[in-house]
Amino acid sequence: MKNLSFAAGSAWTALLAFVIVCIDQLIKGYMPIGSEKGFTYVAFVAWAVYFFSGCTWKGGVRAAIGYVIGIVFSIGIMLLAGMFASSTVFFAIPLAVFFAVFLILYLEKVPWADLIPALFVAAGCYFGIMTYVQDAAFGTAAYVEIIYGFIGLLFGWITVTGKTFFAKIILRRG
């Protein structure tokens, strides 16, 4: 029965991956940027974040909060780098990152904002959008990442909930 339970969980997860790609195809045209390519990767990355958040609703909420904080800090890094660029072009971004990361790490002491990996993942996705998506601006990149990031986190919860449900049904019958 364990093999059947594993197969059911795998099929469930594959179905959810299928659904995320379909959702992207349905909503990407409504995004203010990147509508020609979509942002499935942001949802998939956020889905993984849910798993390393502990696979609980509390972990998912902490991850969502981390996503928002990561985006805010990313914007701060870009603004700070712009200020430093007038005096030192080469060190503008490294200095801005140094100061932001120094502050970010103090969030480990703040309940509900202490899932630091979520902040870094969100920042990485945000910088990716800002760097590689034409016409991306602070607000549009944040909007897109929040939409797709929260879809991914929701699908992480749906994955765990569904796999648990199927395992109970299969193990009861066995």
Side-chain angles (χ1 to χ4, degrees):
M1 281 296 151
K2 285 186 180 182
N3 286 340
L4 181 58
S5 177
F6 184 82
S10 296
W12 174 247
T13 306
L15 175 63
L16 293 176
F18 171 88
V19 171
I20 283 181
V21 174
C22 290
I23 288 171
D24 176 55
Q25 291 182 12
L26 291 171
I27 69 171
K28 69 182 181 181
Y30 297 101
M31 294 296 115
I33 54 172
S35 61
E36 67 283 351
K37 296 189 179 178
F39 295 93
T40 304
Y41 75 94
V42 175
F44 275 95
V45 169
W47 194 1
V49 168
Y50 182 82
F51 292 114
F52 69 68
S53 74
C55 293
T56 64
W57 74 269
K58 180 181 178 183
V61 170
R62 288 173 54 225
I65 291 168
Y67 257 69
V68 172
I69 294 170
I71 291 168
V72 169
F73 268 94
S74 297
I75 293 169
I77 287 170
M78 291 178 185
L79 294 173
L80 199 55
M83 290 172 29
F84 289 146
S86 63
S87 58
T88 172
V89 174
F90 182 82
F91 288 110
I93 294 173
L95 282 171
V97 168
F98 173 84
F99 289 119
V101 170
F102 181 82
L103 294 173
I104 286 169
L105 293 179
Y106 274 92
L107 292 174
E108 284 184 11
K109 299 180 178 287
V110 179
W112 294 95
D114 59 348
L115 191 61
I116 303 304
L119 277 76
F120 279 98
V121 168
C125 286
Y126 188 82
F127 288 130
I129 292 169
M130 289 295 291
T131 303
Y132 298 109
V133 177
Q134 187 175 359
D135 299 326
F138 291 153
T140 57
Y143 175 79
V144 166
E145 184 170 356
I146 291 293
I147 296 292
Y148 278 87
F150 285 16
I151 288 170
L153 292 172
L154 174 64
F155 271 68
W157 178 81
I158 292 170
T159 302
V160 172
T161 303
K163 286 175 78 171
T164 303
F165 173 77
F166 290 127
K168 285 180 183 177
I169 288 175
I170 290 168
L171 293 176
R172 261 191 238 150
R173 291 184 180 195

